[in-house]
């Protein structure tokens, strides 16, 4: 007898092959039949008129902390994600030693936009090794499959203490890092992640530890992966508008040292920026010439953000802004009221005019905390400035000060024009590109990109006609699964894991964004589900029905070697 029979749906198997109407039989967590089936089943799902696809896969998340109090990893699971990869950008909460837990927690809160009070309430750091943390997750039960990379900044801090920021590692310290990384990979870490992004500063306003590493340290740590099956590499090499040849050389050297592929985060398509795209994808061309695989994550949707002066995240990457954005709350309020400080910030932003989120006049008031300011929500700063006879940046500062710095500002959305969408679809079909970069689980008051996968499979296919349903499903299932070597996942095939999404292609879309006060310690976050997803199965067990989560926790911790195959540097 089958555990579940999904009857009569349009099976889109993840490979890109044409969909076909078929029944899908599931037993003991595996797909056992695809075709016409008369075998009895304990549960039957009527999929007539619906698509049946592999569970979607998100390779760039930051659920490392949230997984401890939200084993379903919402809102990602609400968008059909059945496998999520965390530990990106060099930030992890394991391995751990008691003396460094506070630093790592506060670094994570700052750089990934998580409420400190929620991390304090939700993390007990009752683990030491990477393996004991993964054991903890397995013991708690998971609503999805989740795997985690090992973070450079955490490992560096554990090996070097406070010297991790600003100092070059000694030979002994490098060996200690390599030993910590090796043990973590042996215990199931999926690979090595790191960052050199200038946006990544810790809670003290200093560069995160990995930004103090030499190229030699980066390459040496990447090389540890060579000895551990099923591992991979992830990096943010820079957020400069154009990358230097040195960035290409570093990524390629790391791949060759590890004999593992690398993905880097992140780029998007914006009108009139072909030089930017050519520069970014040149990293893959350079690597390929030397027998290495480097792919870039591209957000398969437009970038929508909410910024604010309270945290100052992203604003602190502008020239001459970091000092002000890293002040404590009272000092920041005082500074932003001074005309000379405002002029300094305006001048600094002018040096980064290519960044769309410094277009003050085109910025929108997204939300406010003060009821007296609610009439401003939805208005552009430019319109308000014209009404008030002020400069746009002065208006932003005045509103924010009146709102105790809590005002949410929405930069102009770029890349939503027809030409950009055509280019985006073209890029998604490029072998140098991997669909992803949601950053789900991070920047909880800022990012709204967790629904990029459902938007690609739904709106982009249905409303724009730039991709077929089969192509879109392939981009978020088999493609990422093969890059990571996920064993038995990413396709609907007999003998493969029964991670399955049943959805209505005519309705699949992102639901409106809302605010949820559901974090430990009273913290809040932006969130939002999807419409049109009818059923989700993880390892053969239904975890979602008509948009509502079940109580089931059938997910597994994805461990390197056990659950992943080795993908060599030259790619699959």
């Amino acid at each position: 007898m089958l555990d579940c029979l999904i009857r009569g749906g349009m099976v889109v198997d993840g490979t890109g092959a044409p969909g076909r109407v078929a029944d899908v039989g599931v037993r003991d967590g595996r797909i056992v039949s695809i075709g016409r089936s008369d075998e009895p089943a304990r549960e039957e799902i009527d999929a007539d008129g619906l698509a049946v696809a592999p569970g979607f896969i998100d390779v760039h998340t930051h659920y490392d902390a949230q997984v401890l109090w939200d084993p379903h990893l919402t809102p990602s699971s609400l968008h059909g994600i059945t496998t999520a990869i965390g530990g990106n950008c060099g930030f992890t909460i394991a391995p751990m030693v008691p003396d460094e837990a506070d630093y790592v927690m506060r670094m994570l809160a700052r750089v990934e936009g998580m409420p400190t009070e929620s991390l304090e309430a939700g993390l007990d750091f009752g683990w030491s090794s990477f393996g004991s943390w993964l054991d903890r997750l397995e013991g708690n039960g998971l609503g999805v499959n989740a795997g985690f990379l090992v973070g450079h900044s955490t490992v560096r801090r554990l090996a070097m203490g406070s010297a991790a920021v600003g100092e070059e590692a000694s030979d002994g310290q490098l060996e200690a890092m390599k030993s910590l990384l090796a043990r973590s990979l042996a215990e199931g870490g999926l690979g090595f992640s790191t960052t050199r992004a200038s946006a990544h500063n810790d809670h003290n306003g200093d560069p995160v530890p990995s930004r103090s590493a030499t190229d030699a340290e980066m390459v040496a740590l990447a090389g540890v992966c060579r000895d551990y099956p099923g591992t991979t590499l992830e990096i943010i090499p820079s957020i400069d508008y154009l990358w230097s040849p040195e960035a290409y050389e570093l990524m390629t050297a790391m791949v060759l040292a590890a004999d593992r592929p690398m993905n880097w985060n992140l780029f998007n398509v914006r009108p009139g920026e072909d030089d930017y795209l050519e520069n970014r994808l040149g990293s893959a061309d350079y690597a390929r010439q030397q027998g290495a695989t480097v792919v870039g994550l591209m957000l398969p949707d437009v970038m929508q953000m909410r910024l604010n002066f309270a945290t100052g995240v992203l604003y602190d990457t502008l020239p001459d802004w970091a000092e002000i954005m890293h002040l404590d709350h009272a000092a920041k309020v005082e500074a932003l009221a001074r005309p000379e400080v405002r002029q300094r910030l305006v001048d600094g932003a002018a040096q980064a005019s290519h960044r769309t989120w410094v277009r003050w006049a085109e910025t929108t008031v997204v939300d406010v905390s003060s009821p007296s300011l609610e009439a401003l929500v939805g208005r552009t700063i430019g319109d308000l400035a014209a009404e008030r006879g002020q400069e746009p940046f002065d208006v932003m500062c005045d509103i924010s000060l009146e709102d105790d710095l809590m005002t949410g500002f929405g930069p102009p959305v770029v890349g939503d024009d027809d030409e950009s969408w055509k280019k985006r679809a073209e890029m998604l079909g490029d072998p140098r590109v991997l669909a992803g970069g949601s950053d789900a689980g991070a920047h909880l008051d800022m990012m709204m990109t967790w629904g990029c996968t459902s938007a690609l499979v739904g709106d982009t296919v249905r409303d724009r006609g730039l991709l077929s349903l089969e192509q879109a499903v392939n981009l978020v299932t088999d493609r990422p699964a093969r890059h990571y070597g996920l064993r038995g996942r990413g396709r609907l095939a007999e003998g493969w894991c029964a991670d399955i999404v049943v959805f209505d292609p005519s309705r699949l879309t992102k639901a409106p964004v809302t605010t949820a006060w559901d974090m430990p310690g009273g913290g809040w976050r932006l969130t939002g589900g999807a419409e049109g997803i009818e059923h989700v199965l993880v390892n053969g067990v239904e975890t979602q029905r008509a948009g509502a989560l079940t109580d089931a926790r059938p997910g597994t911790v994805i461990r390197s070697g056990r659950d992943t195959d080795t993908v060599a540097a030259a790619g699959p």
Side-chain angles (χ1 to χ4, degrees):
M1 175 176 284
L2 298 172
D3 295 326
C4 180
L5 180 64
I6 304 171
R7 189 179 292 283
M10 175 63 68
V11 174
V12 182
D13 67 8
T15 66
R20 62 189 179 99
V21 176
D23 303 334
V24 178
V26 174
R27 183 187 300 119
D28 296 330
R30 299 276 174 170
I31 297 169
V32 295
S33 64
I34 301 177
R36 176 65 181 173
S37 177
D38 295 319
E39 188 171 353
R42 294 182 178 86
E43 180 183 4
E44 189 168 308
I45 293 174
D46 181 5
D48 182 40
L50 303 176
V52 182
F56 304 151
I57 297 168
D58 190 340
V59 300
H60 194 100
T61 78
H62 289 280
Y63 281 121
D64 306 58
Q66 186 177 324
V67 66
L68 289 165
W69 61 79
D70 176 16
H72 286 280
L73 303 189
T74 60
S76 290
S77 57
L78 300 174
H79 289 267
I81 299 296
T82 59
T83 299
I85 307 299
N88 287 283
C89 307
F91 308 121
T92 49
I93 56 176
M96 189 50 59
V97 296
D99 289 348
E100 300 301 344
D102 186 70
Y103 175 87
V104 169
M105 178 190 69
R106 296 184 186 281
M107 174 185 67
L108 189 66
R110 171 65 189 178
V111 79
E112 293 301 345
M114 302 173 183
T116 303
E117 63 270 22
S118 295
L119 296 184
E120 289 176 333
L123 299 179
D124 60 18
F125 288 102
W127 56 85
S128 55
S129 66
F130 203 87
S132 61
W133 176 58
L134 296 182
D135 291 343
R136 168 82 166 267
L137 300 184
E138 285 183 328
N140 289 350
L142 293 171
V144 298
N145 308 304
F148 299 88
L149 300 159
V150 185
H152 188 180
S153 282
T154 300
V155 167
R156 198 172 208 266
R157 180 73 188 196
L158 266 60
M160 297 179 64
S162 60
V165 175
E167 295 189 20
E168 184 174 332
S170 67
D171 291 344
Q173 289 168 332
L174 178 57
E175 288 304 313
M177 281 187 261
K178 290 169 66 176
S179 178
L180 276 170
L181 176 59
R183 179 181 176 186
S184 299
L185 297 176
E187 293 171 342
L190 292 184
F192 173 65
S193 71
T194 188
T195 181
R196 278 194 166 163
S198 58
H200 285 156
N201 298 302
D202 67 16
H203 51 290
N204 299 316
D206 298 318
V208 296
S210 66
R211 290 179 57 194
S212 297
T214 62
D215 286 3
E217 177 181 319
M218 294 271 203
V219 173
L221 290 171
V224 175
C225 292
R226 178 181 283 266
D227 296 328
Y228 296 91
T231 53
T232 193
L233 302 173
E234 185 270 342
I235 190 174
I236 302 182
S238 169
I239 61 170
D240 292 342
Y241 183 65
L242 295 179
W243 289 349
S244 66
E246 288 76 19
Y248 293 1
E249 293 166 3
L250 173 61
M251 289 189 281
T252 299
M254 291 174 68
V255 170
L256 294 177
D259 191 25
R260 300 290 185 269
M262 169 184 283
N263 76 82
W264 55 264
N265 191 63
L266 170 76
F267 76 106
N268 205 340
V269 173
R270 297 175 290 204
E273 296 193 350
D274 288 348
D275 57 338
Y276 162 84
L277 292 178
E278 185 176 332
N279 172 267
R280 287 293 192 267
L281 297 181
S283 62
D285 298 332
Y286 181 90
R288 186 172 60 245
Q289 291 168 5
Q290 300 184 55
T293 296
V294 171
V295 299
L297 294 189
M298 190 189 81
L299 193 70
D301 197 3
V302 294
M303 176 71 77
Q304 292 181 292
M305 295 188 296
R306 174 197 181 276
L307 304 181
N308 67 89
F309 290 153
T311 64
V313 172
L314 210 58
Y315 286 139
D316 62 1
T317 66
L318 296 171
D320 294 327
W321 278 60
E323 180 183 350
I324 303 301
M325 291 298 104
H326 295 163
L327 292 172
D328 64 42
H329 187 83
K332 191 185 299 184
V333 167
E334 189 274 332
L336 289 174
R338 302 204 318 260
E340 68 274 18
V341 171
R342 294 185 182 186
Q343 189 59 52
R344 171 184 166 189
L345 298 180
V346 168
D347 293 343
Q351 300 177 51
S353 58
H354 64 277
R355 297 181 178 178
T356 57
W357 34 272
V358 300
R359 297 177 186 171
W360 313 127
E362 300 172 52
T363 296
T364 302
V365 178
V366 175
D367 59 73
V368 295
S369 63
S370 173
S372 65
L373 298 174
E374 287 181 356
L376 303 182
V377 173
R379 302 287 305 279
T380 67
I381 297 299
D383 287 345
L384 294 171
E387 289 179 5
R388 300 182 180 195
Q390 292 179 277
E391 291 297 319
F393 188 68
D394 285 323
V395 172
M396 284 184 68
C397 290
D398 288 349
I399 293 171
S400 191
L401 289 172
E402 191 174 346
D403 202 28
D404 198 32
L405 305 187
M406 293 303 295
T407 307
F409 296 110
V413 175
V414 296
D416 202 21
D417 57 287
D418 289 344
E419 286 304 311
S420 293
W421 275 104
K422 289 178 183 177
K423 188 67 174 181
R424 189 172 287 113
E426 177 189 331
M427 289 291 96
L428 286 168
D430 193 307
R432 299 171 294 177
V433 175
L434 204 62
S438 78
D439 241 12
H443 309 298
L444 303 180
D445 66 339
M446 170 182 156
M447 301 290 285
M448 296 173 278
T449 50
W450 55 76
C452 62
T453 298
S454 57
L456 173 64
V457 178
D459 304 59
T460 305
V461 169
R462 179 180 62 250
D463 300 337
R464 297 188 176 274
L466 298 173
L467 297 168
S468 69
L469 180 61
E470 291 85 354
Q471 289 173 316
V473 168
N474 169 258
L475 290 171
V476 297
T477 58
D478 196 51
R479 280 287 307 281
R482 302 290 68 76
H483 179 85
Y484 264 81
L486 297 176
R487 189 176 298 157
R489 303 187 194 276
R491 299 179 190 173
L492 298 183
E494 293 183 7
W496 286 50
C497 299
D499 296 339
I500 303 171
V501 180
V502 181
F503 62 93
D504 184 348
S506 70
R507 294 194 301 113
L508 183 58
T509 191
K510 294 179 289 187
V513 174
T514 61
T515 299
W517 294 83
D518 61 356
M519 302 279 286
W524 64 273
R525 59 178 177 145
L526 300 174
T527 188
E531 299 174 2
I533 292 181
E534 301 299 328
H535 304 273
V536 176
L537 278 70
V538 174
N539 297 312
V541 177
E542 192 170 25
T543 57
Q544 185 181 151
R545 187 180 303 116
L549 296 172
T550 70
D551 292 330
R553 296 186 184 182
T556 188
V557 171
I558 303 293
R559 297 188 189 236
S560 60
R562 185 191 73 179
D563 304 303
T564 58
D565 295 318
T566 298
V567 180

